[in-house]
Amino acid sequence: MAVSGFEGFEKRLELHFFGDDSLSNINNNMGLRLLDFESIEQVLRAVQCTVVSAVGNHFFDAYVLSESSMFVYPTKIIIKTCGTTQLLKSVRPLTQFANKLNLKLCGCRYTRGSFIFPKSQPFPHTNFKEEVIYIEENLPKNLVYRKASVMPSKNPCYSWHVFAAGDQNHRKKSNSDVTFEICMTELDRHLARKFYKKAGDCKTGDSAGKEMTVLTGIDDINPRAFICDFAFDPCGYSTNGIDGDRYSTIHVTPEDGYSYASFECVGSVYDDDVDIVETLKKAVQVFKPATVSVSTTSNSREVWTTVARAMEPLGLKCRTFAMDEFPAAGTVVFQTFTAARRK
C-alpha cells in the first residue's frame, strides 16, 4: 500500500428542494436547472473542483468534474467528488442560490466509504464526526429529522458512512427510486492499465475518454445511455451516462497500490431484477476488483438481494451485511464482497 496517493473514494451529497407549484410553472419546471454557470462555478470553487464536460436532456443536466460528477434536476442535486475536495462546503451556497429561485431545502443525504488516505483530508472531512457537525451547522432548522451512522464491515477499511436529514414532509421516502453505489478496490492490473494515456498521446481528454469507453467495454454496460466521458492526464477516467431521467457514473483511479473504481446508477424497485443484475455484473467485470462494497438506498428492504446475485457469479463472496433506516432516505443496505481467491 502506498504511503500517500490520490484518494479515489468519493464523498457524495444529495440535496432535495421544494417550491411553490405556481412558481415552478412560471420557471417552466426547470427549478435548479436555472442556476447560471457562474453560480455553479462559485459552488465548485468552494468544493475545489471545476467542470470539464457537460451534457443535458429533457430531465436533467450532467457534469463531469475535475474530481468526479454532478447531476442537476429541477428539485434535486447530486454532487460526488474524490481527492481532497471539500464537498460539504457546497451545502450553504447551494441552499442560498436555490432560495433565490424560491426553492427551499427539504432533504439531505451524505454518504462515503472509508478513505484510503484519511490523514490527507482537509476540514471538514478530517473525520465523520467533524463532517456531521459541519453539515448540521449548515442545514436549515426545518430539517428536524436527522440521523448519522457508520455501517460496519468485518474489515474496518470498508465501513460506510451515512448522514440523512429531512423536514416533516420529506421525512419518509415514498418514491420507488433505488440508488446503487459500488466501490471497487484492488483492480485487475491489466484492466487498470487501460485507463492510462499512452506516452506521447496528444489526444484531448474527451477524445481519449471515448477511446477508453469503447476499449474497456463501458459502453456496453447500458447501451441505451448517452455517454459523456473524459480521460485525465496521465491516468484516470470519468464518465456520466444519461438514459431518460436516470443517470449512471463511473470514476477510475488506476494507480498500483491504491487502485479504485466506482460505479453508481439509479433505478426503480419496479425494474426487472434480471436487468439490474446484468448491469451490476457488467460494471464490475470491467475492473475485476478483489474487493467490492455496495450501498443500496431505497424504500424497499428487498432490492439488495439482486446485488448478491450479481456478485456471486463473478467469484465474489459476501463478507458483510448491514441494514439501517434513515429519515428522507429510506432503507440503506451495505454489503462487502471479496474475491474468493483472496481472503
Side-chain angles (χ1 to χ4, degrees), residues 182-187 259-263 283-284 287 289 291-293:
I182 301 181
C183 303
M184 297 168 270
T185 56
E186 297 176 73
L187 313 183
S259 62
Y260 171 86
S262 67
F263 173 72
V284 174
F287 305 101
T291 305
V292 180
S293 64

Side-chain angles (χ1 to χ4, degrees), residues 302-313:
E302 306 305 323
V303 178
W304 64 268
T305 58
T306 59
V307 174
R309 294 211 303 276
M311 300 300 137
E312 286 163 1

Side-chain angles (χ1 to χ4, degrees), residues 181-295:
E181 297 173 68
I182 301 181
C183 303
M184 297 168 270
T185 56
E186 297 176 73
L187 313 183
D188 178 276
R189 287 189 175 190
H190 173 69
L191 296 175
R193 295 302 300 178
K194 294 181 179 182
F195 296 96
Y196 278 78
K197 278 186 166 182
K198 295 182 178 69
D201 190 343
C202 297
K203 291 188 183 75
T204 63
D206 295 300
S207 175
K210 283 179 175 48
E211 197 172 86
M212 288 179 186
T213 298
V214 174
L215 182 68
T216 58
I218 285 173
D219 58 335
D220 189 46
I221 294 173
N222 177 3
R224 297 186 308 273
F226 177 83
I227 291 176
C228 181
D229 36 24
F230 195 88
F232 296 92
D233 202 7
C235 65
Y237 169 90
S238 288
T239 185
N240 291 334
I242 295 181
D243 180 11
D245 62 350
R246 300 179 180 186
Y247 70 86
S248 60
T249 185
I250 291 175
H251 304 286
V252 187
T253 302
E255 291 95 327
D256 283 350
Y258 48 97
S259 62
Y260 171 86
S262 67
F263 173 72
E264 178 178 331
C265 67
V266 286
S268 165
V269 294
Y270 304 115
D271 287 346
D272 188 322
D273 282 1
V274 174
D275 290 343
I276 296 172
V277 167
E278 281 306 303
T279 297
L280 300 182
K281 274 173 65 177
K282 285 179 182 177
V284 174
Q285 278 179 308
V286 168
F287 305 101
K288 293 185 179 171
T291 305
V292 180
S293 64
V294 185
S295 167

Side-chain angles (χ1 to χ4, degrees), residues 9 113 151-153 158-160 162 178-184 261 263-265 276 280-281 284 289 291-297 303-312 314 316 318 320-323 332-338:
F9 273 92
M151 302 179 75
S153 76
Y158 296 101
S159 299
W160 191 247
V162 184
V178 183
T179 303
F180 296 94
E181 297 173 68
I182 301 181
C183 303
M184 297 168 270
F263 173 72
E264 178 178 331
C265 67
I276 296 172
L280 300 182
K281 274 173 65 177
V284 174
T291 305
V292 180
S293 64
V294 185
S295 167
T296 308
T297 306
V303 178
W304 64 268
T305 58
T306 59
V307 174
R309 294 211 303 276
M311 300 300 137
E312 286 163 1
L314 304 178
L316 291 159
C318 186
T320 304
F321 175 93
M323 180 187 291
V332 177
V333 175
F334 178 62
Q335 299 171 86
T336 62
F337 300 82
T338 58

Side-chain angles (χ1 to χ4, degrees), residues 13-15 17 32 70-72 75-79 94:
L13 179 69
E14 180 171 326
L15 300 175
F17 298 83
L32 293 167
M70 176 171 71
F71 304 96
V72 182
T75 59
K76 175 176 71 177
I77 188 164
I78 298 155
I79 311 182
L94 276 173

Side-chain angles (χ1 to χ4, degrees), residues 131-192:
E131 289 173 315
V132 171
I133 291 170
Y134 186 87
I135 302 173
E136 294 203 305
E137 286 175 348
N138 285 279
L139 289 180
K141 290 184 172 58
N142 62 301
L143 274 69
V144 292
Y145 300 96
R146 304 178 180 192
K147 180 175 178 177
S149 179
V150 179
M151 302 179 75
S153 76
K154 287 181 181 175
N155 183 340
C157 295
Y158 296 101
S159 299
W160 191 247
H161 305 69
V162 184
F163 171 86
D167 66 6
Q168 180 68 42
N169 297 319
H170 202 73
R171 174 169 54 121
K172 291 190 181 296
K173 186 182 175 77
S174 58
N175 63 34
S176 62
D177 293 350
V178 183
T179 303
F180 296 94
E181 297 173 68
I182 301 181
C183 303
M184 297 168 270
T185 56
E186 297 176 73
L187 313 183
D188 178 276
R189 287 189 175 190
H190 173 69
L191 296 175

